[in-house]
Amino acid sequence: MSKAFTKETDTEVEDDEADAPSPLPAGTKNYITPRGFQAMRDELRQLRRVERPKVVEVVSWAAGNGDRSENGDYLYGKKRLREIDRRIRFLLKRLEIAEVVDPAQQKNHDQVFFGATVTYADEQDNERTVRIVGIDEADLDRGEVSWIAPIARALLKAQEGDVVELRTPAGPQSIEVVRIAYEDK
């Protein structure tokens, strides 16, 4: 069947991000740092005010060129619009349920809580530093782990000098908390 006779709708594309089950444990809040919240708002603003209008302009121009079935600008533009709209819906949902927690307001600097930057040593005395952040802002390349990650859950409520057990696929591993800081990076 020719593509000219098929109906193209936005519902044909799966809403992977927007309709996916939340990675949050049931009954928990979506904690996020002020920096992470601002980054998500900035991305939303960029999508709405810059990217989407540019793509709409290209799609409008391409639609005016006639035959849409083989018009790459039109077809790619429509696909990109669906991607942008899906990301906008996802960001709106996540921002709506976000609970901003400022690590700088943490009063107990002796224990590991959300927003803490923790240096720990494993059994081979290898030191690593992680910062405990919200699930929407976790980035292992920057040393930021989600508060629901196994390493974060093992470290939560620990104090300097405490040895905690981290469950890994290779089996339990003991790690020692070397340093706790509440810095705003």
Side-chain angles (χ1 to χ4, degrees):
M1 176 182 239
S2 170
K3 266 187 119 174
F5 297 106
T6 61
K7 184 176 179 185
E8 183 178 317
T9 65
D10 289 345
T11 58
E12 290 176 0
V13 176
E14 297 175 19
D15 281 350
D16 298 345
E17 275 183 1
D19 296 331
S22 176
L24 286 170
T28 60
K29 297 182 180 182
N30 182 29
Y31 297 113
I32 191 167
T33 64
R35 184 182 59 132
F37 187 79
Q38 187 61 44
M40 288 179 72
R41 283 185 33 196
D42 290 346
E43 181 185 357
L44 180 62
R45 188 176 300 116
Q46 172 74 12
L47 288 171
R48 281 182 162 170
R49 294 185 181 169
V50 178
E51 286 190 45
R52 193 172 196 291
K54 282 182 185 176
V55 175
V56 166
E57 187 178 321
V58 169
V59 169
S60 296
W61 169 81
N65 287 338
D67 185 17
R68 297 177 184 172
S69 67
E70 294 181 14
N71 186 332
D73 288 330
Y74 178 80
L75 295 174
Y76 174 76
K78 290 290 284 184
K79 180 180 181 215
R80 181 68 185 130
L81 269 177
R82 287 189 298 270
E83 291 168 354
I84 290 171
D85 289 344
R86 182 172 40 252
R87 183 67 181 166
I88 287 172
R89 283 190 307 274
F90 174 78
L91 290 170
L92 285 171
K93 285 181 182 180
R94 300 305 288 183
L95 288 169
E96 185 178 296
I97 63 169
E99 178 147 340
V100 180
V101 177
D102 190 355
Q105 304 297 319
Q106 180 58 253
K107 294 184 183 1
N108 186 355
H109 291 258
D110 298 333
Q111 261 186 311
V112 177
F113 293 108
F114 181 86
T117 301
V118 184
T119 302
Y120 65 92
D122 61 17
E123 293 167 340
Q124 291 78 32
D125 285 330
N126 297 321
E127 284 193 4
R128 291 191 178 93
T129 301
V130 295
R131 183 166 182 246
I132 301 172
V133 296
I135 62 171
D136 294 318
E137 57 188 322
D139 183 356
L140 201 52
D141 292 337
R142 291 190 329 219
E144 296 177 337
V145 297
S146 164
W147 65 274
I148 62 172
I151 185 68
R153 288 198 273 176
L155 292 169
L156 284 175
K157 298 186 181 174
Q159 298 179 339
E160 286 184 15
D162 284 357
V163 175
V164 296
E165 184 177 288
L166 172 63
R167 295 181 188 267
T168 66
Q173 181 181 16
S174 296
I175 57 175
E176 179 182 357
V177 178
V178 178
R179 183 174 167 270
I180 302 170
Y182 287 90
E183 307 154 352
D184 189 28
K185 291 195 220 175

